Amino acid sequence: MTRRQLPSGVACGLDFLIPDNWSAEQAFAVVELIDDLRWRICTHYQLAWHELQREQRAPPSNTHPTDVEYPF
């Protein structure tokens, strides 16, 4: 079985198996639960979460070649 990388970037860990015999209603209920959980987490951690995203996506602080202490 080939492991796929998840949207989060996680490529290893414990498998979470979803039964293949769920009804469409069961699958929909789980998706709604996840949506509600995401909303609650984002609402509670909104400012800290945005700050963390900004930090992780920011370019390196020393991007200009003239800022290098010893260029050669």
Side-chain angles (χ1 to χ4, degrees):
M1 182 170 148
T2 305
R3 282 192 172 226
R4 288 193 212 167
Q5 189 170 350
L6 299 172
S8 64
V10 174
C12 62
L14 298 174
D15 285 333
F16 182 78
L17 300 176
I18 298 173
D20 58 0
N21 61 348
W22 274 3
S23 67
E25 290 82 10
Q26 288 171 308
F28 185 70
V30 171
V31 169
E32 284 186 322
L33 173 68
I34 293 168
D35 286 345
D36 287 351
L37 180 60
R38 179 183 172 89
W39 181 83
R40 289 184 179 272
I41 290 170
C42 290
T43 299
H44 184 76
Y45 292 102
Q46 183 175 9
L47 295 176
W49 184 59
H50 285 293
E51 179 64 23
L52 180 61
Q53 281 186 317
R54 188 184 64 75
E55 289 172 8
Q56 290 181 350
R57 294 178 180 171
S61 60
N62 188 4
T63 58
H64 197 276
T66 60
D67 291 340
V68 177
E69 188 174 344
Y70 299 106
F72 300 102

